[in-house]
Amino acid sequence: MKNILVTGGAGFIGANFVLYMLDKYPDYTIVVYDKLTYAGNLDNLRDVENDPRYAFVQGDICDAAAVEKAIKAHEIDTIINFAAETHVDRSIMNPDAFVQTSVYGTYVLLEAAKSLGLERYHQISTDEVYGHIPAGYSSKEGDLLKPRSPYAASKASADLMVNAYFVTYGLPVTITRGSNNIGPYQYPEKVVPLFSTNALDEEQLPVYGDGRQTREYQYVVDHCEAIDLVLHEGVLGETYNIGTGEDIENLRMVEILLETLNMPHDLILHVEDRAGHDRRYSLDIGKIKALGWNPRHTGEEAIVKTALWYKDNEWWWRKIKSGEFRAYYEAQYGKRLRDAGEE
Ligand code: NAD
Ligand code: TYD
């Protein structure tokens, strides 16, 4: 593994992963292959743009010819696929691009890895493929996939195709399933950056339903370390959960965030719930721990660190929130906020 194609590397986790890998491995080269959808942002990669070990190619993972060209031109031996449409609420409004990218796009990458004889294909997946998990249980890698949103279903489909390429063609694959990542460069549609930036602007925080849903909020660099470990020590054909083992209620996450930013609790506004909202995800992380990984941050530490990053990096999010985002915000929240009696 030396020349890595990071698809979706201009997004949140992909960019953090590129920064992490270039810092850790002086002899690796990384090519980011990214369509630059609304969520892709070259500002995320500003720190490495002049690094000779880094290159950027704008392209769609559904475009087989462009994928093959990039792999050949850069003598790629490994693909790590972060590319996806990633926001559950957008998948409810319009699932089409989710299916295109995660289902067809993943197939295109797998086919390229097979036909060009690559050393490794790694798929970035999510805890959402297991669906809602009742209290007292944590998902194991071999559990049935029961995705419930169009986003989760598109990601589960991709995992199944990755597994099919391992079994049928012997393609050297691995899969990791992360929990809710937070940290620098996350598009402010996801809850922690949305609420941090809204709070900084003294705007209301639209909490879905009763706010008693739980998530495992994980610091993104911890996730990157685990992916690195699986790339180097993981068993081919295997899947590894990467979480924190710690449930945090959304209302508790909001409290930590508001206390960190020193903003008042009356910014919280309960609004109409998300359709089909999964109340709980929970990962059993015994398998990745046995490989030698442990999270470095608790959920609370991750939330504090993330909220402070948004406080200190307005240069990054202000231009996003004033662009395409405004139309999205109105479509997603306008009626909900009015119905909930926003002042
Ligand atoms: P993101 O939305 O911030 O970034 C996605 C990136 O993929 C963007 O740069 C976008 O331009 C690119 N992209 C989208 N469609 C593409 C296409 N057709 N061709 C090429 N590039 C395309 O997402 P993220 O939060 O960084 O998530 C990255 C991966 O991690 C996704 O596969 C997601 O399902 C998975 N994941 C995310 C989380 C999380 O909490 N954010 C948790 C677990 C797993
Ligand atoms: P999100 O960041 O969209 O991640 P996911 O749904 O993929 O886990 O949401 C995290 C949690 O926060 C989830 O329970 C939904 C909730 N949420 C709100 O209460 N209000 C919001 O405006 C958003 C975006 C999410």
Side-chain angles (χ1 to χ4, degrees):
M1 185 179 314
K2 212 166 170 305
N3 299 332
I4 304 175
L5 191 73
V6 177
T7 52
F12 161 52
I13 309 176
N16 276 284
F17 181 75
V18 170
L19 301 178
Y20 166 89
M21 291 294 276
L22 286 172
D23 187 50
K24 180 160 178 196
Y25 296 104
D27 57 338
Y28 284 14
T29 63
I30 296 206
V31 178
V32 168
Y33 182 94
D34 197 295
K35 185 178 176 181
L36 295 182
T37 66
Y38 76 93
N41 184 351
L42 291 177
D43 280 351
N44 304 356
L45 293 161
R46 206 175 65 157
D47 289 351
V48 294
E49 66 189 5
N50 296 317
D51 190 323
R53 299 168 302 146
Y54 159 79
F56 176 75
V57 176
Q58 183 166 5
D60 188 332
I61 63 166
C62 298
D63 181 344
V67 167
E68 184 175 331
K69 190 172 160 209
I71 292 174
K72 286 183 172 162
H74 295 276
E75 298 178 13
I76 295 298
D77 51 47
T78 300
I79 295 177
I80 307 176
N81 181 27
F82 291 87
E85 291 291 332
T86 61
H87 192 38
V88 172
D89 292 324
R90 291 195 196 240
S91 85
I92 294 168
M93 291 195 277
N94 184 8
D96 195 80
F98 289 75
V99 179
Q100 290 295 335
T101 294
S102 280
V103 183
Y104 187 72
T106 299
Y107 152 73
V108 166
L109 294 178
L110 288 164
E111 197 48 37
K114 170 167 90 65
S115 67
L116 298 172
L118 300 199
E119 246 172 62
R120 184 69 163 271
Y121 177 92
H122 182 78
Q123 177 74 5
I124 304 296
S125 183
T126 166
D127 58 3
E128 305 198 20
V129 297
Y130 299 114
H132 162 73
I133 303 302
Y137 186 76
S138 295
S139 307
K140 295 189 175 50
E141 289 82 352
D143 287 356
L144 271 182
L145 305 188
K146 293 184 180 169
R148 293 163 20 107
S149 72
Y151 163 68
S154 71
K155 293 295 292 181
S157 308
D159 286 9
L160 298 179
M161 191 60 87
V162 173
N163 194 47
Y165 269 67
F166 174 74
V167 173
T168 310
Y169 305 111
L171 191 73
V173 307
T174 38
I175 298 175
T176 46
R177 296 193 179 128
S179 65
N180 282 62
N181 275 226
I182 55 176
Y185 308 122
Q186 185 169 31
Y187 192 87
E189 64 191 355
K190 306 292 184 341
V191 74
V192 172
L194 176 70
F195 284 11
S196 300
T197 55
N198 276 14
L200 288 164
D201 278 344
E202 295 180 56
E203 274 186 50
Q204 308 236 238
L205 314 186
V207 169
Y208 293 158
D210 63 5
R212 306 292 301 275
Q213 310 85 0
T214 68
R215 294 291 186 266
E216 292 188 32
Y217 289 102
Q218 166 161 73
Y219 197 64
V220 62
V221 182
D222 290 353
H223 185 197
C224 294
E225 281 188 354
I227 296 166
D228 176 19
L229 181 65
V230 170
L231 286 172
H232 291 94
E233 309 283 343
V235 176
L236 296 181
E238 293 288 315
T239 296
Y240 297 84
N241 289 340
I242 306 173
T244 61
E246 188 194 352
D247 284 9
I248 298 193
E249 275 191 358
N250 284 334
L251 280 177
R252 173 75 191 127
M253 171 274 291
V254 176
E255 250 171 51
I256 298 168
L257 189 150
L258 288 172
E259 276 159 28
T260 305
L261 298 174
N262 200 20
M263 296 305 284
H265 285 237
D266 62 9
L267 289 179
I268 296 171
L269 187 68
H270 288 267
V271 299
E272 187 193 346
D273 208 349
R274 170 188 283 171
H277 196 165
D278 289 335
R279 286 191 74 81
R280 179 171 182 264
Y281 300 125
S282 178
L283 291 175
D284 182 318
I285 53 173
K287 191 169 171 183
I288 185 79
K289 281 187 162 181
L291 211 57
W293 176 88
N294 269 299
R296 291 182 197 274
H297 299 79
T298 63
E300 177 161 354
E301 287 164 351
I303 295 162
V304 169
K305 209 164 165 174
T306 301
L308 292 175
W309 188 85
Y310 286 88
K311 186 176 178 204
D312 294 340
N313 288 278
E314 289 193 20
W315 71 273
W316 185 83
W317 59 265
R318 280 231 175 267
K319 54 186 163 187
I320 295 174
K321 279 193 110 175
S322 58
E324 177 272 355
F325 184 85
R326 294 257 47 104
Y328 163 74
Y329 199 77
E330 173 54 31
Q332 177 63 23
Y333 296 101
K335 180 171 182 312
R336 273 188 163 114
L337 288 167
R338 286 188 288 277
D339 287 351
E342 184 197 30
E343 288 126 46

